[in-house]
Amino acid sequence: MFTGSIETVRQKNRFKAVALLTFALFWAISCSRQPVYPGPPVVGSEVVIDVRTLRPGIPQFYTYRYTNKNINFFVVEIDGKPLSFLDACSSCYPKRLGYRFDNGQITCRACDVRYSVSEIEKGFGSCYPIKVQGSLRDGKYFIQVSALQNMADRF
């Protein structure tokens, strides 16, 4: 009877250890995945964002699919003008985690550096999003699809 109790305790401990490892693995995988966002509106060879849909200081994230890669980027209006950036840190992009937006702050998911959206072009140290060239015409913001495709190596 005593040895049975010890074996039962060992089995319970093994079960707990396996359950804990399984939870830790799923947590690590879910936290290290690149987010996927809605696809951007594409017309011909350009992504076309209606600037009326932009809210000042709040980034809109998109995922452009190219050769089995998700190229994440965002568009944000700062001081009345739209700007676009890869959802990839200039130094942390190999981790493929991008940024998150909370309460007016943009935060690198890899190094946890955060700063105000208004300072996005400066960033902090070597942590800042990679700029994507775009142009404003007739109330629409245009990004060449080829510009995104040329940056696919960051994803």
Side-chain angles (χ1 to χ4, degrees):
M1 185 168 178
F2 185 73
T3 57
S5 296
I6 291 174
E7 189 57 38
T8 302
V9 169
R10 285 182 181 156
Q11 286 176 347
K12 286 181 181 178
N13 286 343
R14 276 189 284 238
F15 175 77
K16 288 179 185 177
V18 168
L20 182 62
L21 285 171
T22 302
F23 172 77
L25 177 65
F26 283 120
W27 180 78
I29 289 171
S30 67
C31 289
S32 64
R33 284 197 179 154
Q34 176 188 23
V36 177
Y37 303 103
V42 177
V43 178
S45 63
E46 297 176 307
V47 169
V48 182
I49 307 295
D50 185 341
V51 294
R52 293 176 298 177
T53 65
L54 298 175
R55 295 185 3 219
I58 300 176
Q60 281 188 353
F61 289 85
Y62 299 97
T63 298
Y64 177 75
R65 188 94 171 122
Y66 174 67
T67 64
N68 295 323
K69 287 188 176 189
N70 289 331
I71 302 171
N72 290 347
F73 69 99
F74 60 92
V75 179
V76 62
E77 180 185 317
I78 300 174
D79 295 330
K81 77 176 188 182
L83 300 170
S84 49
F85 302 89
L86 289 184
D87 186 24
C89 174
S90 62
S91 60
C92 299
Y93 75 85
K95 294 180 183 177
R96 294 175 170 81
L97 297 177
Y99 291 90
R100 69 178 176 271
F101 175 75
D102 295 308
N103 299 323
Q105 300 275 309
I106 191 104
T107 305
C108 177
R109 294 174 193 262
C111 64
D112 209 34
V113 167
R114 75 184 64 214
Y115 41 87
S116 168
V117 171
S118 63
E119 297 174 346
I120 202 163
E121 290 187 276
K122 294 180 244 168
F124 186 79
S126 63
C127 184
Y128 54 90
I130 301 163
K131 186 140 172 78
V132 177
Q133 193 61 40
S135 61
L136 183 62
R137 297 188 311 264
D138 301 322
K140 304 225 184 305
Y141 187 69
F142 296 87
I143 301 169
Q144 292 294 318
V145 167
S146 60
L148 295 171
Q149 293 172 348
N150 289 338
M151 296 179 173
D153 62 329
R154 302 296 199 302
F155 296 92

